[in-house]
Coordinates of all heavy atoms in Angstrom, one line a residue:
M29 N -5.3 -8.3 4.7 CA -6.7 -8.4 5.1 C -7.1 -7.3 6.0 O -8.2 -6.9 6.1 CB -7.0 -9.7 5.7 CG -6.8 -10.9 4.7 SD -7.7 -10.6 3.2 CE -9.2 -11.6 3.6
W30 N -6.1 -6.8 6.9 CA -6.4 -5.7 7.8 C -7.0 -4.5 7.1 O -8.0 -3.9 7.6 CB -5.1 -5.4 8.5 CG -5.4 -4.5 9.7 CD1 -5.6 -4.9 11.0 CD2 -5.4 -3.0 9.8 NE1 -5.9 -3.8 11.8 CE2 -5.7 -2.6 11.1 CE3 -5.3 -2.1 8.8 CZ2 -5.8 -1.3 11.5 CZ3 -5.4 -0.7 9.3 CH2 -5.7 -0.4 10.5
F31 N -6.4 -4.1 5.9 CA -7.0 -3.0 5.2 C -8.5 -3.3 4.8 O -9.3 -2.4 4.8 CB -6.2 -2.7 4.0 CG -4.8 -2.2 4.3 CD1 -3.7 -3.0 4.3 CD2 -4.7 -0.8 4.5 CE1 -2.4 -2.4 4.6 CE2 -3.5 -0.2 4.7 CZ -2.3 -1.0 4.8
H32 N -8.7 -4.5 4.3 CA -10.1 -4.9 3.9 C -11.0 -4.7 5.0 O -12.1 -4.1 4.8 CB -10.0 -6.3 3.3 CG -11.4 -6.8 2.9 ND1 -12.1 -6.3 1.8 CD2 -12.2 -7.7 3.6 CE1 -13.3 -6.9 1.8 NE2 -13.4 -7.7 2.8
Y33 N -10.8 -5.4 6.1 CA -11.7 -5.4 7.2 C -12.0 -4.1 7.9 O -13.0 -3.8 8.4 CB -11.4 -6.5 8.2 CG -11.5 -7.9 7.6 CD1 -10.5 -8.7 7.5 CD2 -12.8 -8.3 7.2 CE1 -10.6 -10.0 7.0 CE2 -12.9 -9.6 6.7 CZ -11.9 -10.4 6.5 OH -12.0 -11.7 6.0
H34 N -11.0 -3.2 7.8 CA -11.1 -1.8 8.4 C -11.5 -0.9 7.3 O -11.5 0.4 7.6 CB -9.8 -1.5 9.1 CG -9.6 -2.2 10.4 ND1 -8.9 -3.5 10.4 CD2 -9.9 -2.0 11.6 CE1 -8.9 -3.9 11.6 NE2 -9.5 -3.1 12.4
E35 N -11.8 -1.3 6.1 CA -12.3 -0.5 5.0 C -11.4 0.7 4.7 O -11.8 1.8 4.5 CB -13.7 0.0 5.3 CG -14.7 -1.1 5.4 CD -16.2 -0.7 5.6 OE1 -16.4 0.5 5.4 OE2 -17.0 -1.5 6.0
L36 N -10.1 0.4 4.7 CA -9.1 1.4 4.4 C -8.7 1.4 2.9 O -8.6 0.3 2.3 CB -7.8 1.2 5.3 CG -8.1 1.3 6.8 CD1 -6.7 1.0 7.5 CD2 -8.5 2.7 7.2
T37 N -8.4 2.5 2.4 CA -7.9 2.6 1.0 C -6.6 3.3 1.0 O -6.4 4.4 1.7 CB -8.9 3.4 0.1 OG1 -10.1 2.7 0.1 CG2 -8.4 3.5 -1.3
V38 N -5.6 2.7 0.4 CA -4.2 3.4 0.4 C -4.0 3.7 -1.2 O -4.1 2.8 -2.0 CB -3.2 2.5 0.8 CG1 -1.8 3.1 0.8 CG2 -3.4 2.1 2.3
S39 N -3.7 5.0 -1.4 CA -3.4 5.4 -2.7 C -2.3 6.3 -2.7 O -2.0 7.0 -1.7 CB -4.7 5.9 -3.5 OG -5.0 7.1 -2.7
G40 N -1.6 6.5 -3.8 CA -0.5 7.4 -3.9 C 0.0 7.5 -5.4 O -0.5 6.9 -6.2
T41 N 0.8 8.4 -5.5 CA 1.5 8.6 -6.8 C 3.0 8.6 -6.6 O 3.5 9.0 -5.5 CB 1.1 10.0 -7.4 OG1 1.5 11.0 -6.6 CG2 -0.3 10.1 -7.6
S42 N 3.7 8.3 -7.6 CA 5.2 8.2 -7.5 C 5.8 8.2 -8.9 O 5.3 7.8 -9.9 CB 5.5 6.9 -6.8 OG 6.9 6.7 -6.8
G43 N 6.9 8.8 -8.9 CA 7.8 8.7 -10.1 C 8.9 7.6 -10.1 O 9.7 7.6 -10.9
A44 N 8.8 6.8 -9.0 CA 9.7 5.8 -8.9 C 9.5 4.6 -9.7 O 8.3 4.2 -10.1 CB 9.8 5.3 -7.4
S45 N 10.6 3.8 -10.1 CA 10.4 2.7 -10.9 C 9.9 1.5 -9.9 O 10.0 1.6 -8.7 CB 11.7 2.3 -11.4 OG 12.7 1.8 -10.5
P46 N 9.4 0.4 -10.6 CA 9.0 -0.8 -9.8 C 10.1 -1.3 -8.8 O 9.9 -1.7 -7.7 CB 8.5 -1.7 -10.8 CG 8.0 -1.0 -12.0 CD 9.1 0.2 -11.9
A47 N 11.4 -1.3 -9.4 CA 12.5 -1.7 -8.6 C 12.8 -0.8 -7.4 O 13.1 -1.3 -6.3 CB 13.7 -1.9 -9.5
Q48 N 12.7 0.4 -7.6 CA 12.9 1.4 -6.5 C 11.8 1.3 -5.5 O 12.0 1.3 -4.3 CB 12.9 2.9 -7.0 CG 14.1 3.2 -7.9 CD 14.0 4.5 -8.6 OE1 12.9 4.9 -9.0 NE2 15.1 5.2 -8.7
T49 N 10.5 1.1 -6.0 CA 9.4 0.9 -5.0 C 9.5 -0.4 -4.2 O 9.3 -0.4 -3.0 CB 8.1 0.9 -5.8 OG1 8.0 2.1 -6.6 CG2 6.9 0.7 -4.9
A50 N 10.1 -1.4 -4.8 CA 10.3 -2.7 -4.1 C 11.4 -2.6 -3.1 O 11.4 -3.3 -2.1 CB 10.6 -3.8 -5.1
H51 N 12.4 -1.7 -3.3 CA 13.6 -1.5 -2.4 C 13.2 -0.6 -1.3 O 13.8 -0.8 -0.2 CB 14.7 -1.0 -3.3 CG 16.0 -1.0 -2.6 ND1 16.6 -2.1 -2.1 CD2 16.8 0.2 -2.3 CE1 17.8 -1.7 -1.6 NE2 17.9 -0.4 -1.6
A52 N 12.3 0.2 -1.4 CA 12.0 1.3 -0.5 C 11.5 0.7 1.0 O 12.0 1.1 2.0 CB 10.9 2.2 -0.9
P53 N 10.6 -0.3 1.1 CA 10.3 -0.8 2.4 C 11.4 -1.3 3.2 O 11.4 -1.0 4.5 CB 9.3 -1.9 2.1 CG 8.7 -1.6 0.8 CD 9.8 -0.9 0.0
G54 N 12.4 -1.9 2.6 CA 13.6 -2.4 3.4 C 14.4 -1.2 3.8 O 14.9 -1.3 5.0
L55 N 14.5 -0.2 3.1 CA 15.2 1.0 3.5 C 14.5 1.7 4.7 O 15.2 2.1 5.7 CB 15.4 2.0 2.4 CG 16.3 1.6 1.3 CD1 16.2 2.6 0.1 CD2 17.8 1.4 1.7
I56 N 13.2 1.8 4.6 CA 12.4 2.3 5.7 C 12.6 1.5 7.0 O 12.8 2.0 8.1 CB 11.0 2.6 5.3 CG1 10.9 3.6 4.2 CG2 10.1 3.0 6.4 CD1 9.6 3.7 3.5
A57 N 12.4 0.2 6.8 CA 12.4 -0.8 7.9 C 13.8 -0.7 8.7 O 13.9 -0.8 9.9 CB 12.1 -2.2 7.6
S58 N 14.9 -0.5 7.9 CA 16.2 -0.6 8.5 C 16.6 0.9 9.1 O 17.6 0.9 9.8 CB 17.3 -0.9 7.4 OG 17.4 0.2 6.5
G59 N 15.8 1.8 8.8 CA 16.1 3.2 9.3 C 17.0 4.0 8.4 O 17.4 5.1 8.7
A60 N 17.4 3.4 7.3 CA 18.3 4.1 6.3 C 17.5 5.2 5.6 O 18.2 6.2 5.2 CB 18.8 3.1 5.3
A61 N 16.2 5.1 5.5 CA 15.4 6.2 4.9 C 14.4 6.6 6.0 O 13.4 6.0 6.1 CB 14.7 5.7 3.7
P62 N 14.6 7.7 6.7 CA 13.7 8.1 7.8 C 12.4 8.7 7.2 O 12.3 9.9 7.1 CB 14.5 9.2 8.6 CG 15.5 9.6 7.6 CD 15.7 8.6 6.6
A63 N 11.5 7.8 6.9 CA 10.3 8.2 6.2 C 9.4 9.2 7.0 O 8.8 10.1 6.5 CB 9.4 7.0 5.8
T64 N 9.4 9.1 8.4 CA 8.6 9.9 9.2 C 9.1 11.4 9.1 O 8.2 12.3 9.3 CB 8.6 9.5 10.6 OG1 10.0 9.4 11.1 CG2 8.0 8.1 10.8
D65 N 10.3 11.6 8.7 CA 10.8 13.0 8.6 C 10.2 13.7 7.3 O 10.2 14.9 7.2 CB 12.3 13.0 8.4 CG 13.0 12.6 9.7 OD1 12.4 12.6 10.8 OD2 14.2 12.4 9.7
L66 N 9.7 12.9 6.4 CA 9.1 13.4 5.2 C 7.7 14.0 5.5 O 7.2 14.7 4.6 CB 9.1 12.4 4.1 CG 10.5 11.9 3.6 CD1 10.4 10.8 2.6 CD2 11.3 13.1 3.1
I67 N 7.0 13.4 6.5 CA 5.7 14.0 6.8 C 5.8 15.2 7.5 O 6.2 15.3 8.7 CB 4.9 12.9 7.6 CG1 4.8 11.5 6.9 CG2 3.5 13.4 7.9 CD1 4.3 10.4 7.6
T68 N 5.5 16.3 6.8 CA 5.7 17.6 7.4 C 4.4 18.2 8.1 O 4.6 19.1 8.9 CB 6.1 18.6 6.4 OG1 5.1 18.6 5.3 CG2 7.5 18.2 5.8
H69 N 3.2 17.7 7.8 CA 2.0 18.2 8.3 C 1.0 17.1 8.6 O 0.9 16.1 7.9 CB 1.3 19.2 7.3 CG 2.1 20.4 7.0 ND1 3.2 20.4 6.2 CD2 2.0 21.7 7.5 CE1 3.7 21.6 6.1 NE2 3.0 22.4 6.9
H70 N 0.3 17.2 9.8 CA -0.6 16.2 10.2 C -1.9 17.0 10.5 O -1.9 18.0 11.2 CB -0.3 15.6 11.6 CG 1.1 14.8 11.5 ND1 1.0 13.4 11.1 CD2 2.3 15.1 11.6 CE1 2.3 13.0 11.1 NE2 3.1 14.0 11.4
F71 N -3.0 16.5 9.9 CA -4.3 17.2 10.1 C -5.4 16.2 10.6 O -5.4 15.1 10.1 CB -4.8 17.8 8.8 CG -4.1 19.0 8.3 CD1 -3.0 18.8 7.5 CD2 -4.5 20.3 8.7 CE1 -2.3 20.0 7.1 CE2 -3.8 21.4 8.3 CZ -2.7 21.3 7.4
P72 N -6.3 16.6 11.5 CA -7.4 15.8 11.8 C -8.4 15.9 10.6 O -8.3 16.8 9.8 CB -7.9 16.4 13.1 CG -7.6 17.9 13.0 CD -6.2 17.8 12.3
L73 N -9.2 14.8 10.5 CA -10.2 14.8 9.4 C -11.1 16.0 9.4 O -11.5 16.5 8.3 CB -11.0 13.5 9.6 CG -12.0 13.2 8.5 CD1 -11.3 13.1 7.1 CD2 -12.8 11.9 8.8
A74 N -11.4 16.6 10.6 CA -12.2 17.8 10.6 C -11.6 19.0 9.9 O -12.2 19.9 9.5 CB -12.5 18.2 12.1
Q75 N -10.3 18.9 9.7 CA -9.6 20.1 9.0 C -9.2 19.6 7.5 O -8.1 20.1 7.0 CB -8.4 20.5 9.8 CG -8.7 21.1 11.1 CD -7.4 21.5 11.9 OE1 -6.4 21.4 11.5 NE2 -7.7 21.9 13.1
F76 N -10.0 18.8 6.9 CA -9.7 18.3 5.6 C -9.5 19.4 4.6 O -8.5 19.4 3.8 CB -10.9 17.4 5.1 CG -10.6 16.8 3.8 CD1 -9.9 15.7 3.7 CD2 -11.2 17.3 2.6 CE1 -9.7 15.0 2.5 CE2 -11.0 16.7 1.4 CZ -10.3 15.5 1.4
A77 N -10.2 20.5 4.6 CA -10.1 21.6 3.7 C -8.7 22.3 3.8 O -8.0 22.6 2.9 CB -11.2 22.6 3.8
G78 N -8.3 22.5 5.1 CA -7.0 23.1 5.4 C -5.9 22.1 4.9 O -4.8 22.6 4.4
A79 N -6.0 20.8 5.0 CA -5.1 19.9 4.6 C -4.9 20.0 3.0 O -3.7 20.0 2.6 CB -5.5 18.5 5.0
L80 N -6.0 20.1 2.4 CA -6.0 20.2 0.9 C -5.2 21.5 0.5 O -4.5 21.5 -0.5 CB -7.3 20.1 0.3 CG -8.0 18.8 0.4 CD1 -9.4 18.9 -0.3 CD2 -7.2 17.7 -0.3
T81 N -5.5 22.6 1.2 CA -4.9 23.8 0.9 C -3.4 23.7 1.1 O -2.6 24.2 0.3 CB -5.5 25.0 1.7 OG1 -6.9 25.1 1.4 CG2 -4.8 26.3 1.5
T82 N -3.0 23.1 2.2 CA -1.6 23.0 2.5 C -0.9 22.0 1.4 O 0.2 22.3 1.0 CB -1.4 22.3 3.9 OG1 -2.0 23.2 4.9 CG2 0.0 22.1 4.2
M83 N -1.6 21.0 1.0 CA -1.0 20.1 0.0 C -0.9 20.8 -1.3 O 0.2 20.6 -2.0 CB -1.9 18.9 -0.2 CG -1.9 17.9 1.0 SD -2.9 16.4 0.9 CE -4.1 16.7 -0.3
A84 N -1.7 21.7 -1.6 CA -1.7 22.4 -2.9 C -0.6 23.5 -2.9 O -0.1 23.9 -3.9 CB -3.0 23.1 -3.2
S85 N -0.2 23.9 -1.7 CA 0.9 24.9 -1.6 C 2.3 24.3 -1.7 O 2.4 23.0 -1.7 CB 0.7 25.7 -0.2 OG 1.2 24.8 0.8
D86 N 3.3 25.1 -1.8 CA 4.7 24.6 -1.8 C 5.2 24.5 -0.4 O 6.4 24.6 -0.2 CB 5.5 25.4 -2.7 CG 5.2 25.2 -4.2 OD1 4.7 24.1 -4.6 OD2 5.4 26.2 -4.9
Q87 N 4.3 24.4 0.6 CA 4.8 24.5 2.0 C 4.9 23.0 2.7 O 5.3 23.0 3.8 CB 3.7 25.2 2.8 CG 3.5 26.6 2.4 CD 4.7 27.6 2.5 OE1 5.4 27.5 3.6 NE2 5.0 28.3 1.5
A88 N 4.6 22.0 1.9 CA 4.6 20.7 2.5 C 5.3 19.7 1.6 O 5.3 19.8 0.4 CB 3.1 20.2 2.8
I89 N 5.8 18.7 2.3 CA 6.4 17.5 1.5 C 5.4 16.5 1.5 O 4.9 16.1 0.4 CB 7.7 17.0 2.2 CG1 8.8 18.1 2.1 CG2 8.2 15.7 1.5 CD1 10.0 17.8 2.8
K90 N 4.9 16.0 2.6 CA 3.8 15.0 2.7 C 2.9 15.5 3.8 O 3.2 16.0 4.9 CB 4.4 13.6 3.2 CG 5.2 12.9 2.2 CD 4.3 12.4 1.0 CE 5.2 11.6 0.0 NZ 4.4 11.2 -1.1
V91 N 1.5 15.3 3.6 CA 0.5 15.7 4.5 C -0.3 14.5 4.9 O -0.7 13.7 3.9 CB -0.4 16.7 3.8 CG1 -1.6 17.1 4.8 CG2 0.4 18.0 3.6
T92 N -0.6 14.2 6.2 CA -1.5 13.2 6.5 C -2.8 13.8 7.0 O -2.8 14.8 7.6 CB -0.9 12.2 7.6 OG1 -0.7 13.0 8.8 CG2 0.4 11.6 7.1
I93 N -3.8 13.0 6.8 CA -5.1 13.4 7.3 C -5.6 12.2 8.1 O -5.8 11.0 7.5 CB -6.1 13.6 6.1 CG1 -5.6 14.8 5.3 CG2 -7.5 14.0 6.6 CD1 -6.4 15.0 4.0
E94 N -5.8 12.4 9.4 CA -6.1 11.3 10.3 C -7.5 11.4 10.9 O -8.0 12.4 11.2 CB -5.0 11.3 11.4 CG -3.6 11.2 10.8 CD -2.6 11.7 11.7 OE1 -2.8 12.1 12.9 OE2 -1.3 11.7 11.4
P95 N -8.2 10.3 10.9 CA -9.6 10.3 11.4 C -9.6 10.5 12.9 O -8.6 10.5 13.6 CB -10.1 8.8 11.2 CG -8.8 8.0 10.9 CD -7.7 8.9 10.5

């Protein structure tokens, strides 16, 4: 419900199977998969265009755009 009341939308793409996707949160929670290391770039919302350019390049693994 937190997502609903704060009007957030989460979307993504993946080549993982449903079983792999179900297993991933446990790995992240246990620290076995350091997910924060995969986020290579952080952009403020005001730099949205730059974030898109970075995402389109081969310079990033994951890009976050933060309000």
Side-chain angles (χ1 to χ4, degrees):
M29 296 304 267
W30 192 88
F31 287 97
H32 172 75
Y33 291 116
H34 288 88
E35 299 182 16
L36 299 176
T37 301
V38 177
S39 62
T41 60
S42 175
S45 71
Q48 292 168 324
T49 301
H51 189 60
L55 292 173
I56 294 168
S58 73
T64 56
D65 292 347
L66 298 176
I67 301 172
T68 57
H69 295 77
H70 299 266
F71 287 90
L73 186 56
Q75 294 179 5
F76 184 79
L80 291 180
T81 300
T82 300
M83 290 182 340
S85 74
D86 290 332
Q87 303 295 317
I89 296 174
K90 292 285 183 184
V91 175
T92 63
I93 301 170
E94 303 161 2

